Amino acid sequence: MRPPVDVLPTSSAAAAWLSRALAVGFVVILVSAIVWAQNTLTTEIRAHILRAEQALQSKDIESAAQEFRAVLALDSRNVEAHVNLGVIAMMHGDCQVASRDFRAALAVQPSQPKANALLAICSRRLGDPSAKVLLQGSFSKLTDASLRTQVGMELVALYDREGDAEHAVAVLQKLVGLNPDSVDILYAAQRLYRELADETLNKLAIVAPASARMQQVIAQHLINAGEVRGAINHYKRALEIDSRIPGVHYELAQAILESDSSSPAIQAAAQKEFETAIAVDGDSGSIQCKLGRIALLLADTDGAHTHYARAFAIDPQDAESQLGLGTVLMMSDKLEDARKYLEMAVRSDPLNDAGHYRLAQVYRRLQMADKAKKEVELSIEIKKTKEQVAALYRQMNERPRFKGDDGPQTGPSDTNQ
């Protein structure tokens, strides 16, 4: 059985969730409502709210709840007191009580975004059929990042339980943009991406098991598992079925080159496939960068410069072409020009260890010792991190894919230091 996608608290985790909510989430909702309310309330109500605020800041939730109930005794239509009592009930896992308070707040102020969002969350947890519409409406309108994340994850959980991976992924893409370093969101995203990929692969296997695309997919899986020679065979089978299938000549050329990049025969075979890819699919910066790499392997710096310059002209923002031009210019002792392109490369792809290492070489030769030291340290740290990631992927029998790893190769054994 697959694990649930949502990472929201169950009753057994209520205490830990309460602590987190007080630290980073809902206490902000409570206090911000209080600050706004103090400008319009009577002296007696303002005093209760001030004491509630002080109780929240000291994490005395029960005292805060008593103060909010005192506010409602004086003004039964006080929106802030209802919302805050609803949040407190929600923290204790009582969504029935919380929902009543949120509905009471919305009866007075129907457009209150936080009350709508929190009611939507409670509705989902209570299994209310209206939860989906409420969550969808809240997610599209919320601007508060913390609450939008909470609503989004509830919506993802609902979609996931309905088997609606496509809509779940659409929400997760927004959440990843909002919280790019959240472990829980990244976990949920990768699981659903994989699930969606598996579903489409199963459909392809049923609909067209003998197709060229099926052979291409098999080859891609073998590449990611590190079985390059097996992948080459399946790419060739795909081309036997359809010699002009888009993308396959390029992928085959990459696989051939990866199989033994030091072999002249392999280099020639890869170059032929890249040239065929241009004829079939059209030119691209990626193909020109690969041809530039082959030229470097053949010690043809002029040819490499031509290919990398063409790639850069196609896409001036591409880190691989920037790194390639910087490498060729450094090999030609055009250090200032090399520096310009290598600095571009590490800005375009800050996690490219080869770019940082090559830039360190240029800085060293330009007598910029402090900058050289910094770039070397960055290169070592990034490479170490990639090795750690690679070790984790090996446990899954897969290979990680890092941007720019097909670019000009560098390392401690480089002869141009």
Side-chain angles (χ1 to χ4, degrees):
M1 180 181 293
R2 71 184 189 188
V5 72
D6 50 323
V7 291
L8 302 169
T10 61
S11 56
S12 63
W17 184 77
L18 173 58
S19 177
R20 292 200 305 275
L22 286 169
V24 297
F26 286 112
V27 75
V28 176
I29 296 169
L30 298 173
V31 173
S32 65
I34 291 168
V35 171
W36 180 86
Q38 286 176 335
N39 295 324
T40 59
L41 301 178
T42 66
T43 301
E44 188 176 1
I45 290 176
R46 189 179 296 114
H48 284 298
I49 288 181
L50 180 60
R51 286 194 290 271
E53 180 181 8
Q54 293 168 343
L56 285 171
Q57 289 174 345
S58 61
K59 300 186 180 181
D60 185 354
I61 302 302
E62 293 309 317
S63 294
Q66 289 175 12
E67 296 297 336
F68 288 128
R69 283 192 284 270
V71 170
L72 290 178
L74 296 168
D75 177 10
S76 63
R77 290 171 58 81
N78 186 283
V79 171
E80 288 69 41
H82 277 301
V83 171
N84 289 306
L85 282 170
V87 171
I88 290 171
M90 195 175 174
M91 286 176 171
H92 289 296
D94 193 344
C95 279
Q96 290 281 6
V97 170
S99 294
R100 286 199 295 270
D101 275 302
F102 296 139
R103 291 184 191 281
L106 291 169
V108 179
Q109 190 177 344
S111 61
Q112 220 286 342
K114 291 173 182 175
N116 274 297
L118 295 168
L119 177 60
I121 292 173
C122 283
S123 297
R124 207 285 291 181
R125 295 183 184 180
L126 292 170
D128 188 331
S130 68
K132 183 193 290 188
V133 173
L134 291 172
L135 288 167
Q136 289 169 332
S138 293
F139 185 73
S140 65
K141 295 174 183 176
L142 281 168
T143 57
D144 180 277
S146 177
L147 190 52
R148 190 166 198 253
T149 297
Q150 185 82 347
V151 169
M153 288 302 287
E154 293 280 357
L155 188 54
V156 168
L158 190 152
Y159 283 138
D160 186 52
R161 288 188 176 130
E162 292 179 346
D164 189 352
E166 290 185 18
H167 282 95
V169 165
V171 174
L172 274 169
Q173 287 174 331
K174 293 182 174 68
L175 292 179
V176 169
L178 192 63
N179 308 271
D181 298 321
S182 168
V183 173
D184 291 331
I185 291 173
L186 290 174
Y187 164 76
Q190 71 82 29
R191 187 180 69 71
L192 282 175
Y193 293 159
R194 183 180 293 272
E195 181 179 303
L196 193 58
D198 288 344
E199 287 179 2
T200 54
L201 177 58
N202 289 341
K203 289 179 183 177
L204 179 61
I206 292 169
V207 172
S211 67
R213 287 298 190 195
M214 192 70 236
Q215 292 297 319
Q216 184 181 14
V217 168
I218 294 170
Q220 290 167 347
H221 278 256
L222 289 170
I223 286 288
N224 207 33
E227 299 178 23
V228 179
R229 295 189 184 281
I232 290 171
N233 290 333
H234 282 281
Y235 281 129
K236 289 180 176 179
R237 289 179 195 171
L239 291 171
E240 288 172 1
I241 297 169
D242 181 355
S243 63
R244 299 190 66 81
I245 181 173
V248 174
H249 285 286
Y250 174 75
E251 292 179 24
L252 172 59
Q254 284 187 298
I256 291 171
L257 187 59
E258 187 176 344
S259 67
D260 185 3
S261 62
S262 63
S263 165
I266 291 295
Q267 294 162 7
Q271 181 169 339
K272 180 180 178 182
E273 286 298 330
F274 282 127
E275 290 169 351
T276 304
I278 293 174
V280 173
D281 302 322
D283 202 0
S284 71
S286 296
I287 293 176
Q288 289 299 324
C289 283
K290 300 303 180 293
L291 290 171
R293 182 186 171 196
I294 292 172
L296 278 180
L297 290 169
L298 295 169
D300 178 8
T301 54
D302 289 341
H305 186 275
T306 298
H307 288 299
Y308 284 122
R310 191 174 299 163
F312 183 79
I314 293 171
D315 183 4
Q317 307 303 316
D318 179 63
E320 189 176 358
S321 63
Q322 294 162 351
L323 176 57
L325 276 172
T327 299
V328 172
L329 289 165
M330 192 193 79
M331 293 172 68
S332 303
D333 291 324
K334 298 177 181 178
L335 299 182
E336 285 296 343
D337 288 337
R339 171 187 171 183
K340 179 182 75 172
Y341 286 106
L342 292 171
E343 286 176 342
M344 284 184 198
V346 297
R347 283 196 300 269
S348 298
D349 182 10
L351 297 181
N352 189 316
D353 57 304
H356 287 287
Y357 179 79
R358 186 67 78 185
L359 182 56
Q361 292 179 306
V362 169
Y363 282 151
R364 188 183 302 119
R365 291 169 64 180
L366 289 171
Q367 307 302 311
M368 303 169 71
D370 290 343
K371 287 191 172 184
K373 180 181 178 183
K374 179 182 176 181
E375 293 299 324
V376 166
E377 290 171 351
L378 280 170
S379 175
I380 292 171
E381 186 62 30
I382 293 167
K383 188 173 182 179
K384 180 181 177 182
T385 301
K386 287 185 175 182
E387 288 171 351
Q388 291 171 344
V389 173
L392 291 173
Y393 271 81
R394 280 195 294 273
Q395 294 177 36
M396 299 185 291
N397 296 316
E398 293 186 5
R399 297 190 313 159
R401 296 180 181 182
F402 296 111
K403 180 181 176 182
D405 279 356
D406 288 334
Q409 302 300 302
T410 62
S413 62
D414 194 282
T415 58
N416 293 293
Q417 297 188 51

